[in-house]
Amino acid sequence: MTDASASASVPAFFSASGRRHLAFDWGGVFTVGTFDGRSTGRLAERLGLKVEAVRASYFRHVRHLEVGAWTLPQFWDTLAAELGMGETRPGETAADPTFGYPHFEALYLGSILPNQPMFELLARLPASVRVGLLSNNYPVVSDHLRAQAAFARLYRPVFSNEIGVKKPDPASFAALEAAMELPARQVAFVDDVQENIEAARKAGFYGLLYDHTQHADFERRVAEWLAGS
C-alpha cells in the first residue's frame, strides 16, 4: 500500500470552529504498528524463543494488565514461568537466567515505535481544540506516556488499566466523555480498529478510522471535521 503522505499535501495548520474536538487511541495511532506485536517479537528475539510461544503466553494474560488487575512485575513473573525463565527441573535449562524484570521493563518501554506524523499533527492543532485520549493500556506504560512532553497537550487522558474496563466496552467511552467534559457529539474519536470506531459511534462520538499509510487523507478528514459547525 502506498503512503498517501508521500504524494499528497496535508494541511499546514487547521481551522477550527471551536465547537468540535478530538480524542485519540494510542497504539496503532501514535505508534507504527501494534505495541503488543513489536514487544513480543523483540522479547522472543532477545530470549532466543519462538515468537509463537511468547505471543501465546503474552496474549493469554495481557487482559489482566489492560484492566489493571495485575502489575507489570506480576505479568512478567507469569510470562517468565511459562517461558522457562525461572527455576527449572533437573535436566532443564532456563531460557536466559540473567534476564529479569528490569530487563523486561526496559525492553517493553523500548518497544514503542512513535508515529511521527501523528505527533506533528498534535502539535499543529489549534489551542481551541480539546484533545483527549482513550487507550487500552498497561501499568508502567501509561505512566511513561503521561511523562512525555508531547502528551501534555492531552486533556485528562483515559487508560483502561486505570478505569478497569477496556474498549470496546461502552463504559470506556462513557469514561472518555466524562473526562473530556464535553458532549460526545462534539468529539471525533480516532482509532485504528473498526470495532472500536463502531463502539464510539454507538456512544455518540463521531468516528475516524486511522491507517498510518494513509495519513494525508486522515489529516484532510480531521480538517473537515474541525471546520464544521
Side-chain angles (χ1 to χ4, degrees):
M1 187 178 294
T2 301
D3 185 346
S5 64
S7 58
S9 60
V10 297
F13 61 90
F14 294 92
S15 174
S17 67
R19 292 180 292 274
R20 290 185 170 187
H21 307 272
L22 290 167
F24 294 87
D25 175 36
W26 174 66
V29 175
F30 282 100
T31 69
V32 177
T34 66
F35 173 73
D36 295 318
R38 183 171 169 80
S39 61
T40 51
R42 294 180 71 232
L43 185 61
E45 182 179 10
R46 170 63 179 80
L47 298 177
L49 298 171
K50 291 184 177 180
V51 69
E52 295 83 4
V54 173
R55 287 176 177 163
S57 180
Y58 182 96
F59 288 110
R60 185 158 49 245
H61 303 294
V62 74
R63 190 182 186 282
H64 297 298
L65 279 186
E66 290 179 303
V67 298
W70 286 5
T71 64
L72 195 58
Q74 284 177 296
F75 182 67
W76 166 245
D77 286 345
T78 300
L79 260 62
E82 291 188 356
L83 297 174
M85 303 296 298
E87 294 183 3
T88 60
R89 293 188 293 269
E92 294 181 336
T93 303
D96 185 345
T98 68
F99 190 93
Y101 172 75
H103 306 95
F104 172 70
E105 181 180 308
L107 181 147
Y108 207 50
L109 295 178
S111 298
I112 299 170
L113 181 61
N115 180 18
Q116 195 57 36
M118 188 60 81
F119 281 94
E120 293 170 0
L121 180 155
L122 182 64
R124 299 199 320 272
L125 292 173
S128 61
V129 176
R130 184 168 293 179
V131 184
L133 184 85
L134 175 62
S135 171
N136 290 346
N137 219 293
Y138 317 115
V140 177
V141 179
S142 57
D143 293 336
H144 174 77
L145 297 180
R146 273 205 175 89
Q148 293 186 353
F151 278 170
R153 178 68 174 83
L154 301 179
Y155 189 82
R156 297 176 61 190
V158 179
F159 295 105
S160 64
N161 59 290
E162 296 175 354
I163 64 171
V165 65
K166 56 179 286 190
K167 294 176 296 181
D169 192 302
S172 66
F173 290 98
L176 174 62
E177 184 175 19
M180 292 288 288
E181 299 182 308
L182 291 165
R185 66 179 180 277
Q186 291 182 237
V187 181
F189 181 68
V190 179
D191 202 295
D192 64 318
V193 176
Q194 183 63 42
E195 182 183 18
N196 294 335
I197 292 295
E198 292 170 1
R201 288 171 177 163
K202 288 179 181 178
F205 294 87
Y206 184 78
L208 286 172
L209 185 65
Y210 182 71
D211 178 345
H212 80 274
T213 69
Q214 300 294 319
H215 186 84
D217 178 68
F218 170 75
E219 290 215 6
R220 283 191 294 273
R221 288 185 288 139
V222 167
E224 291 172 359
W225 162 257
L226 292 178
S229 58

